[in-house]
Amino acid sequence: MHIQQQETERHTLSVTVDNEAGVLARIAGMFTARGYNIDSLTVADVTEDDSISRITIVTTGTPAVIEQVVAQLDRLINVHRVIDLTERGNFVERELALVKVVGTGEHRIEALRLADVYRARVVDATTGSFVFEVTGSSEKIDKFIELMGEIGLVEVARTGVAAIARGKEAV
Amino acid sequence: MTTEMSGADILIQALNDQGVEVVFGYPGGAVLPIYDALFNQQRIKHILVRQEGGAAHAAEGYARSTGKPGVVLVTSGPGATNAITGIADAMMDSIPMVVITGQVGTPLIGSDAFQECDTVGITRHVTKHNYLVKDPAKLGDIIHEAFHIATSGRPGPVVIDLPKDVQVATAPYRRTNTSALPHRGYKPAIKGDLTAIEQAIELLSKAERPMIYTGGGIINSGPAASMVLRELVKLTGAPVTSTLMGLGALPASSPQWLGMLGMHGTYEANMAMNQCDVMLCLGARFDDRVTGRLDAFSPHSKKIHVDIDRGSINKIVRVDVPIIGDVGRVLEDMVKLWKAREYQPRDLKPWWNTIKTWRDRNCLAYPASVESGEIVPQHAIRKLWEATHRQQPIITTEVGQHQMWAAQHFDFESPNKWLTSGGLGTMGYGLPAAIGAQLGNPKALVIDIAGEASIQMNIQEMGTATQYRLPVKVFILNNEYMGMVRQWQDLTYGGRYSSSYSDSLPDFVRLAEAYGWKGIRIERPDQLEQGIADMLAHDGPVMVDCMVAKMANCFPMIPSGASHTDMILDPAQVSGVMDDEAKALV
């Protein structure tokens, strides 16, 4: 007997929650307990009185699983609102990465040239290394990291995705 | 300025304000301040169990039979971990429960202190919500919020972890109005969407082969929901089946009752589910034990699903008309709308004629007990029903064959009389649940229909019944096997009885006597009637050791991985082997 795989989709969810101890554990735990995937997760307090955090979760699953992810998140007492941005369409998502590249001579020049193309900024430099800051879609960052891999990439730190709906409506 | 109270006193005061009458618990180091506060008051009755698992199940039995939340009080570490099974059980079966666990003092949290465990972490997945209280000033509000969350929406267990120093420290307490405490993220839907309800009624009225499938949600919604269900059932003329958890919502004596559905449901209920054209699911959740093979589940029907939990909608079976709301309220709207629009059901005679042919298979028939031969277990349950049903007893069960036989052969006429561990399937549930039910219903006849293996899982609670003079009856169907395990080994593993024999059993009669109970043994069919009469005549707790046919199996049965139409109706159809796909399924 073999386990069968099904077609999956990638969805970006925006979740507002109480800014309380243990909330992240509840959310992460719900995903593992029910066998759902977290591709990326970012969380930060977004209110003046520190009462509410906004979590952006990128998840993959079959359409039925995505529907359940939203419903199960909604069941958590500390969760105020869950919005499936992918389902709604028309949203912006951005990610930031810090990329360390080591090399000398021609490699350094090539690294700077590519960084320019990708609008990456140099945030640290030594005679043998650069740290680039690059912002954009996850695909753009993937591509930048892939290119740097050929030049002297040694380390990457990524923030995960932050996302927001386009237009004047606020959630 | 309000006077300050200790955390322990705040807890007791808040429980009082919530109208709590009974707390099931067990003391220990981290709850000593609370036990001292309990000592100084009379309003709350504390029931000392023999193990914390018993406290949680007793609270479940109390809650399920009274509709009020069950309250548990246990110490930190092992006290909390022992209670986990009962908490998980309450989560699966949506039982309102508030569990107070002691915790080591806040400065010690995280230091691997004596009897410390991460109770909030461990219980996160088996509770509806949980709290670690670090500030006594917040304790009152948290307790009231906990009761609100446990009892509203889809009910469930809530754990409040209370460090010892917070029990001792003082703070002001004010009685909070629960409705003034709406958690921003917690707004359970009560009223269903009217457009969807209209659609549902329209579908039902046009159905040629309607089917109503009810679940534990109707019981949870309160006795009124069962009454409205009866009205809708009359109006629509539709046949009704129920999950294990929903038994009693519709009287078993109703001509429209088809019996329980699912793995050990009746032939007529499962066939009707398979063949219906409109299915109305009321407060049930399409559990795998109910649906059987999913791709063959009720293939021709439009499905209406009423559930208070949005997460239950489209989780397993995709439905055409989802209605999120309290099933009692939605039923009220349905009945109102049906009457206002003067709907008439279509002629359902052909459908009932088909159902009659299924009923005529008489799928619950069992061989008659031969005089002085072995007692047929179904016969024993039927005898128990005959002797007691006029008293409307509360029946609890353990888990296994005896549980399914009780569900099949003990007929229920009203809700809150049937307490069983459905979702989690916890052996050892029945005795403590009976104790809780007896406390909540002092005048009721409470019987735990048990198996000889299950009863041993919480047998220590016999002492609790003795201490509080609770006249619970335990009726053991003793076949000297973990019968359901052995049945599956018969069906799937060529009859290799790996560890399913109940060896080294105690003498249950002498055990009963050792605990101050009455013990009765029934060995032959001709002793059944007298044995049951003796059990009922004794005004204290009784344990009956009823020796039944050792190799009897529970039918009908939808085997692992099969559809509703592929039921095994009698043992002759059992092949004894199964492929890997079926073995892995359920």
Side-chain angles (χ1 to χ4, degrees), chain A residues 1-2 18 20 22 25-26 29-30 33 51-52 64 67-68 70-72 74-80, chain B residues 91 120 124-125 128-131 149 154 183-186 309-315 318 580-581 584:
Chain A
M1 191 189 102
H2 299 281
D18 288 324
E20 260 178 42
R26 282 180 211 282
M30 190 281 288
S51 63
I52 296 175
E67 188 184 333
Q68 269 297 302
V70 173
Q72 295 297 340
D74 216 23
R75 285 178 84 199
L76 298 174
I77 307 287
N78 295 117
V79 169
H80 298 193
Chain B
M91 184 68 175
V120 168
R124 194 170 286 136
H125 298 295
K128 187 171 172 188
H129 196 52
N130 61 14
Y131 301 88
I149 289 172
R154 179 175 178 179
H183 218 283
R184 267 187 290 188
Y186 183 68
D309 178 7
R310 182 185 163 198
S312 287
I313 308 267
N314 290 336
K315 184 172 69 176
R318 289 215 71 88
D580 284 356
E581 248 100 34

Side-chain angles (χ1 to χ4, degrees), chain B residues 365-381:
Chain B
Y366 50 86
S369 298
V370 188
E371 195 88 6
S372 77
E374 283 186 316
I375 296 173
V376 174
Q378 297 95 316
H379 176 61
I381 287 181

Side-chain angles (χ1 to χ4, degrees), chain B residues 506-514 517-521 543 545:
Chain B
D507 178 334
F508 286 112
V509 172
R510 283 166 63 198
L511 182 73
E513 286 162 5
W517 289 36
K518 184 181 175 68
I520 296 172
R521 180 163 294 115
M543 179 167 270
D545 185 17

